[in-house]
Amino acid sequence: MTTLRQFEYLVTVVDTGSFTRAAELLHVTQPALSHQVRALEKAVGGPLLERLPRAVRPTPMGRAVLPHARAALADAERLRAAALSAAGLAGGELELATVYSVSLGLLPPVLRAWRAAHPEVRIRLREFAHTEDLRAAMTAGQADVAVGPLPTGWEGPIRELGVEEFVLVLPADEPDEPGGPGRPDGPGGSDAPVPLAALAGRDWVHYAPGNGLADVLDAACAEAGFRPGVAVRTEQTAAAPLLAAAGLGPALVPANIVPPGFDGLVRRPEPPVRRPLVAYTRTRPDALTTAFVELLSRRVRLLPDGSDGGSAGGVEGAAAGSADVPTDGFS
C-alpha cells in the first residue's frame, strides 16, 4: 500500500536529484529514505528512479507516477489547510438542522450575529417538520448540530438553551366576555392568562399531521380536558398566527414567531404550554460547532421583545428545573 510519506520522498528525491540532499531536507536517514522508495517501487510494480553516478532521475514509470504523487500531496495539504481554517473559524462549512418553528422564530438573529462574526464560514440549513424527523436526520449524519426540542433518549452531547413558551393567538376584536380572552395590553402579553378549557368549544387553526406543533396543541388541549376541533390545518408554522388573527379560530404558537407589530390578540394559555430547546450533536463537537453553539446559547431569545418579566421568569424557572439534561462535550 502506498502512503503520502512515500510520495513525499519520491517527489523530494526527484526535485533535489539526490538521495543525500533529500534525506537532509526530510530529516530522515538516507537508508530510511531508500527503504521507503523501494517499498513504493514494489507497491507500484516497477522502478521509479534511475540511480546514476552523480544524479538521480525518474524512469518512464517514475515520470508517469510523479504527477499523481504531486497531486496527492497537494490534495492532502488542501485538506489540512481546510481543517485548520475551520478550527480557526476562518472558513469551512457548518451543517445545521432544526425544525420549522425554530428556523422561523429563533435562528434568524443568531445566524445574523454568526455571519457578522464569521463571514467566511458557510451555513447549510436543513429544516424538518417534526422533532422525530430532526432526530433521525442527526442520527443519519445529515448535519453537524441540531437545534430543537429535547430528543428522547439522545446519547450524544446536549446543550440546554432554555424553555420556549407558547401563546394563544385570536382576532384583535375577540369579544371581552367573563372568563374569556379579553383585550390585550400589547403584543406578547396581557394581565391574565386564558384558560384553555374556555376555548374547548372552538374550532382551531391546527397544524398538518406531520408538523410537530400538531402534537403540542393536541397534548395541551388534552391536559385541559378536551380535543380541539379543526377549522383549518396548515403546514406552514408562520401561517398559523395570521390565520388566527383573520378569525378562523384560536391558534397555539411559539411566542417567538409572533412578528413585531402583530395586530392579533396574543395571550398566555392556562395551564402554560412550554417545551425545552437544546442543541445536540452525535459526538464531541469540533471547534467550529462548539463556537456556533456558544454563540447560539448567548444570543437565542426564547421570548419576543416586549414580553414582561413574569413570563421571562417562568421560562427561567422551567429551564432551571431541567438541569438533569446531559451537557457532555459542550464546555
Side-chain angles (χ1 to χ4, degrees):
M1 178 181 293
T2 60
T3 66
L4 288 173
R5 191 65 169 165
Q6 290 170 345
F7 288 156
E8 183 182 20
Y9 287 173
L10 172 66
V11 169
T12 305
V13 171
V14 171
D15 288 348
T16 61
S18 165
F19 274 86
T20 301
R21 179 60 179 151
E24 292 173 354
L25 290 176
L26 295 168
H27 304 289
V28 297
T29 64
Q30 187 169 331
L33 175 60
S34 298
H35 174 75
Q36 288 299 318
V37 170
R38 286 194 297 270
L40 177 59
E41 290 176 326
K42 182 178 180 180
V44 301
L48 301 174
L49 298 173
E50 182 181 1
R51 296 156 177 82
L52 303 173
R54 294 185 178 276
V56 179
R57 62 188 296 270
T59 65
M61 182 180 287
R63 290 194 293 273
V65 167
L66 196 59
H68 299 286
R70 293 187 189 279
L73 292 172
D75 285 342
E77 177 58 27
R78 282 192 289 270
L79 184 151
R80 187 187 72 86
L84 291 176
S85 179
L89 307 182
E93 180 177 78
L94 180 69
E95 294 188 331
L96 172 63
T98 190
V99 289
Y100 291 149
S101 62
V102 170
S103 67
L104 175 65
L106 298 181
L107 286 183
V110 173
L111 294 178
R112 182 172 62 247
W114 175 264
R115 180 69 175 172
H118 309 292
E120 296 183 12
V121 177
R122 298 181 300 276
I123 295 287
R124 183 175 183 180
L125 181 63
R126 297 179 180 271
E127 299 168 276
F128 298 90
H130 199 283
T131 301
E132 289 304 313
D133 297 331
L134 175 61
R135 188 186 194 283
M138 278 299 294
T139 300
Q142 295 181 19
D144 301 312
V145 58
V147 181
L150 180 66
T152 303
W154 189 257
E155 296 182 354
I158 294 175
R159 166 65 69 87
E160 293 181 49
L161 300 176
V163 179
E164 73 173 342
E165 184 170 347
F166 285 73
V167 295
L168 290 167
V169 178
L170 297 126
D173 59 356
E174 182 77 10
D176 187 3
E177 299 175 353
R183 299 293 301 169
D185 289 18
S190 72
D191 289 335
V194 176
L196 276 175
L199 302 173
R202 303 280 289 270
D203 287 335
W204 289 67
V205 174
H206 214 312
Y207 301 92
N211 190 313
L213 294 184
D215 297 344
V216 174
L217 175 58
D218 287 340
C221 292
E223 183 178 352
F226 69 96
R227 182 175 181 178
V230 178
V232 62
R233 288 187 182 270
T234 179
E235 294 183 358
Q236 300 184 43
T237 304
L242 302 179
L243 294 171
L248 275 76
L252 185 69
V253 305
N256 49 65
I257 77 165
V258 179
F262 183 69
D263 60 1
L265 177 61
V266 181
R267 301 290 294 271
R268 297 186 190 87
E270 180 61 43
V273 180
R274 297 168 178 149
R275 65 176 179 179
L277 294 180
V278 300
Y280 59 98
T281 60
R282 289 178 300 281
T283 59
R284 184 174 295 274
D286 62 11
L288 182 60
T289 304
T290 298
F292 177 80
V293 172
E294 290 296 332
L295 183 143
L296 172 67
S297 64
R298 294 195 306 271
R299 293 299 189 102
V300 70
R301 295 185 62 85
L302 297 175
L303 292 171
D305 292 335
S307 296
D308 62 34
S311 174
V315 169
E316 289 169 0
S322 57
D324 58 338
V325 176
T327 57
D328 303 69
F330 291 113
S331 58

